[in-house]
Amino acid sequence: RAYAAMLFETAAIVRLAPRARKTFGVRVLVLTHGETDAMNPTYGDELVRFADDANRDLAPLTGQSERIVVFLSQQFGYPSSVGERPLVNQPQWRIGIERPGEFVCTGPKYQIAGRGDGVHLHVTGCHELGEKTGQVYFERLVLGHDWQPLHPLGVVRSGRSISVRFHVPVP
């Protein structure tokens, strides 16, 4: 029902904007997903389909030609019944690297305060996630900088030493 509600609300705001002498468009969709997708092997394909559907359905409502970017963060935790690392974390990160004009992975959430159940964020964690999303929005859409989360760029092994080179968005 959320998708239908998004279309309904967008159409309503488009109708209301001229009354306030404003225009309205959608630049970003922020996707906060549920942990029930933790082991979904088709999650990356479903993200692409979601973005394509949203762009196809929202553009006629707003009249915009600019493609909407999808911001998403990696899954916070995973249900204890799964018992292993979520499959979706890799596609969530990779889609922002492979499709930078369409997706931005804002980063992981493992460092954010949780409620202790491995699934839900604490209120403080929700604030931290909002701050990160705002930071990425500012960097990407206000300043126009390419933005990618902290991630490894390469690994070199020399004897017993392993060196990892990282992309660091904010030193």
Side-chain angles (χ1 to χ4, degrees):
R1 293 181 290 207
Y3 191 86
M6 173 185 71
L7 297 176
F8 175 82
E9 291 166 1
T10 299
I13 295 169
V14 166
R15 283 191 311 273
L16 292 172
R19 294 181 196 166
R21 295 191 182 112
K22 303 284 182 183
T23 59
F24 178 77
V26 179
R27 293 195 71 195
V28 171
L29 293 174
V30 177
L31 181 61
T32 304
H33 48 271
E35 271 55 28
T36 56
D37 289 316
M39 304 308 285
N40 181 348
T42 63
Y43 191 76
D45 294 334
E46 292 175 18
L47 288 173
V48 172
R49 188 169 39 253
F50 167 74
D52 288 344
D53 289 350
N55 276 281
R56 180 197 65 227
D57 295 340
L58 289 171
L61 297 175
T62 63
Q64 70 190 68
S65 58
E66 180 181 335
R67 187 161 175 87
I68 300 164
V69 179
V70 177
F71 279 18
L72 67 146
S73 55
Q74 288 178 296
Q75 185 168 315
F76 167 65
Y78 52 100
S80 59
S81 62
V82 172
E84 57 188 278
R85 298 298 305 163
L87 290 176
V88 299
N89 280 348
Q90 285 296 316
Q92 290 166 332
W93 163 70
R94 190 169 301 285
I95 200 164
I97 303 299
E98 294 173 353
R99 301 176 81 122
E102 302 171 62
F103 292 91
V104 175
C105 177
T106 60
K109 292 195 286 262
Y110 62 82
Q111 77 283 10
I112 294 177
R115 288 187 33 207
D117 62 1
V119 177
H120 299 98
L121 294 176
H122 186 275
V123 166
T124 305
C126 292
H127 289 234
E128 293 168 356
L129 179 59
E131 288 173 0
K132 175 54 73 177
T133 303
Q135 174 197 21
V136 174
Y137 182 92
F138 183 76
E139 285 289 329
R140 175 71 188 270
L141 295 171
V142 175
L143 297 179
H145 299 154
D146 181 32
W147 199 95
Q148 297 174 351
L150 174 71
H151 65 273
L153 295 172
V155 178
V156 175
R157 180 179 176 189
S158 177
R160 294 174 41 126
S161 179
I162 297 174
S163 298
V164 182
R165 191 170 49 95
F166 286 92
H167 167 77
V168 180
V170 181

